[in-house]
Amino acid sequence: MRGMPAMRDTSPSPQPSPATREREPEFALLWRALDQLTDPEIPVVTLREMGILRDLRRGADGQVEVVITPTYSGCPAMDQIADDIGAVLKSSGVEGRVVTQLSPAWTTDWMTPEAREKLRAYGIAPPHATTTAAGEAVVLFATKSPAGSNDPEHAVACPQCGSSNTTETSHFGSTACKALYRCLDCMEPFDYFKRI
């Protein structure tokens, strides 16, 4: 499927509800096949756990549409993700296409608790929650903790030793959605998946 551009849906739309469609028999097998696809940049988490794989639906022409939302505009992994999804569609014998939906924009709130734990185990500090204890949304965009901050609410814990005595060494890490940190206790460098 390389070379076949993914469709882009830029119109505002309500939050998809894949859980409802997952129960539909026509999509159940396809969901299971797509659930095996991992993020090309972080292979320990699936696209669905990351919140990138948003929905399965029927287009106006009857073809299956697999809806994906990039973690940030210009994410270089999106072509590979579209290719991987196209390969699953083809191997499943499904006539379909990949649709990139930009609205609503991806947020770290779409990551599952399993994704956060897998990131930590992989050595990447997961993003802080972007909602308060009362469930109110906190508007953030690629924020960081103050360097050397001991404020537990904003401190980025080291995924190696768990210490909150960490500092940001570069606002951009191995990818634009991550920052590079260093633990001041165990001295290990690590990526932090920025809150978006």
Side-chain angles (χ1 to χ4, degrees):
M1 301 236 42
R2 179 146 318 271
M4 183 167 73
M7 293 183 61
R8 196 169 295 274
D9 179 359
T10 57
S11 60
S13 62
Q15 179 76 11
S17 101
T20 303
R21 290 196 185 97
E22 183 177 0
R23 290 189 292 268
E24 294 178 16
E26 75 168 314
F27 291 130
L29 289 174
L30 190 52
W31 271 121
R32 281 198 288 277
L34 291 169
D35 275 341
Q36 304 307 307
L37 294 178
T38 58
D39 186 310
E41 296 174 335
I42 313 169
V44 295
V45 292
T46 68
L47 298 176
R48 194 159 179 204
E49 289 169 335
M50 284 294 290
I52 295 169
L53 179 56
R54 300 301 304 150
D55 200 5
L56 288 179
R57 65 188 185 202
R58 289 258 173 219
D61 60 359
Q63 281 201 354
V64 171
E65 294 181 340
V66 181
V67 181
I68 58 175
T69 298
T71 55
Y72 67 96
S73 182
C75 174
M78 293 311 287
D79 286 341
Q80 183 63 53
I81 290 170
D83 287 349
D84 292 347
I85 292 170
V88 167
L89 290 172
K90 186 175 180 179
S91 69
S92 300
V94 174
E95 285 288 324
R97 63 181 155 258
V98 177
V99 176
T100 300
Q101 183 173 297
L102 303 178
S103 178
W106 183 88
T107 169
T108 50
D109 285 343
W110 291 358
M111 295 170 94
T112 66
E114 294 81 9
R116 292 169 191 270
E117 189 49 46
K118 287 178 179 181
L119 285 173
R120 186 182 339 278
Y122 192 61
I124 299 172
H128 292 104
T130 55
T131 55
T132 66
E136 300 165 330
V138 177
V139 179
L140 300 166
F141 181 76
T143 59
K144 66 177 185 174
S145 324
S149 169
N150 289 327
D151 177 2
E153 184 180 335
H154 296 103
V156 174
C158 172
Q160 310 299 327
C161 71
S163 171
S164 295
N165 187 19
T166 61
T167 187
E168 184 181 271
T169 58
S170 174
H171 194 58
F172 295 100
S174 59
T175 60
C177 57
K178 295 191 283 288
L180 186 59
Y181 271 71
R182 183 169 52 97
C183 178
L184 300 176
D185 286 338
C186 72
M187 301 306 288
E188 288 293 324
F190 64 92
D191 277 336
Y192 166 59
F193 204 107
K194 293 182 261 189
R195 300 176 290 182
I196 298 176

